[in-house]
C-alpha cells in the first residue's frame, strides 16, 4: 500500500489554519456584548468563512489517498472510503507525468506520477492534478521505481503482456 500523504500535508495544514482563524473570529463576534448591526454581520461573515474553511478541510482530507493491488484490481482509497476500483486488464494506456500537487497563485508544485488510463485517447494534458476522482477516466499514483515494478509485474501476471509505461 503506497500513499501520497507527503503531498497532501501542505493543503491540510493551510486548511486547518483557516478553520482555526475563522472559528476564533466567529467566537469573538458571538461573545461580543454590543448590540450593533456590525456584530450581526461580522458574525454572519465569520460563520460563512468558517463553513467554507470546513468544506476546504474535508476536500484536503479527501486528497489523502493510497492504493492497493489485490486479485487483479487496483483500488484507490481515501479516509472516507474507496475512490476508484479498476481491474488491471481494463488499463489501455500508462504514462509518467509531472502532475500538480498544489498551487499558489498559479505557481504549481509538480511531482512525477504514473497515470493508468482506462481510455486510450487520454493525453498528458488531460491530467488535471495529482489526485484521483470518481469521474476521472484514470488512476494517478505517485511515482517511484518500486511502484512501477509492482504495477508492471501485477499487470503481467494478470494479462500475460508487458505494461509499457511511457
Amino acid at each position: 500500500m503506497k500513499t501520497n500523504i507527503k503531498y497532501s500535508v501542505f493543503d491540510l495544514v493551510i486548511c486547518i489554519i483557516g478553520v482555526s482563524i475563522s472559528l476564533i473570529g466567529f467566537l469573538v463576534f458571538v461573545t461580543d456584548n454590543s448590540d450593533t448591526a456590525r456584530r450581526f454581520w461580522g458574525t454572519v461573515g465569520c460563520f460563512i468563512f468558517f463553513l467554507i474553511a470546513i468544506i476546504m478541510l474535508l476536500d484536503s482530507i479527501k486528497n489523502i489517498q493510497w492504493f492497493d493491488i489485490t486479485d487483479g484490481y487496483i483500488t484507490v482509497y481515501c479516509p472516507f472510503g474507496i475512490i476508484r476500483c479498476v481491474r488491471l486488464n481494463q488499463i489501455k494506456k500508462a504514462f509518467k507525468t509531472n502532475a500538480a500537487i498544489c498551487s499558489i497563485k498559479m505557481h504549481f508544485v509538480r511531482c512525477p506520477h504514473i497515470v493508468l488510463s482506462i481510455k486510450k485517447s487520454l493525453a498528458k494534458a488531460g491530467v488535471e492534478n495529482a489526485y484521483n476522482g470518481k469521474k476521472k477516466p484514470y488512476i494517478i499514483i505517485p511515482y517511484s521505481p518500486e511502484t512501477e515494478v509492482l504495477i508492471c509485474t501485477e499487470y503481467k501476471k494478470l494479462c500475460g503482456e508487458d505494461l509499457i509505461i511511457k
Side-chain angles (χ1 to χ4, degrees):
M1 224 177 338
K2 300 286 184 178
T3 183
N4 71 345
I5 192 148
K6 65 182 178 181
Y7 302 137
S8 303
V9 169
F10 181 73
D11 284 340
L12 190 63
V13 169
I14 295 296
C15 290
I16 289 172
I17 291 170
V19 167
S20 302
I21 290 171
S22 63
L23 183 61
I24 290 170
F26 179 68
L27 292 175
V28 165
F29 274 104
V30 166
T31 58
D32 188 15
N33 291 332
S34 64
D35 289 332
T36 62
R38 184 185 313 159
R39 177 180 154 238
F40 173 74
W41 289 112
T43 305
V44 169
C46 284
F47 184 71
I48 290 171
F49 184 60
F50 176 70
L51 288 179
I52 291 170
I54 289 289
I55 291 169
M56 290 174 60
L57 178 65
L58 292 175
D59 187 53
S60 66
I61 291 171
K62 182 187 66 115
N63 285 340
I64 298 173
Q65 300 173 355
W66 61 94
F67 78 97
D68 192 22
I69 299 176
T70 53
D71 299 329
Y73 287 92
I74 184 164
T75 308
V76 179
Y77 300 95
C78 76
F80 301 123
I82 294 175
I83 294 177
R84 190 95 193 238
C85 184
V86 173
R87 189 147 174 85
L88 284 174
N89 61 3
Q90 293 177 329
I91 296 172
K92 305 276 193 271
K93 185 177 183 181
F95 57 88
K96 295 176 197 168
T97 187
N98 282 331
I101 55 171
C102 85
S103 65
I104 301 171
K105 289 192 175 184
M106 297 304 290
H107 296 285
F108 296 101
V109 177
R110 298 183 177 273
C111 290
H113 284 75
I114 297 173
V115 178
L116 305 171
S117 174
I118 57 174
K119 285 180 151 182
K120 198 163 191 141
S121 63
L122 182 71
K124 285 186 180 185
V127 178
E128 298 166 10
N129 58 24
Y131 304 108
N132 293 292
K134 289 185 185 253
K135 296 182 181 178
K136 293 181 182 177
Y138 58 84
I139 291 178
I140 188 163
I141 300 166
Y143 173 78
S144 70
E146 298 86 23
T147 304
E148 184 177 7
V149 169
L150 174 68
I151 292 170
C152 289
T153 55
E154 289 294 324
Y155 187 84
K156 185 163 180 123
K157 273 197 266 183
L158 183 68
C159 300
E161 301 173 356
D162 288 333
L163 179 66
I164 298 169
I165 300 176
K166 299 177 185 177

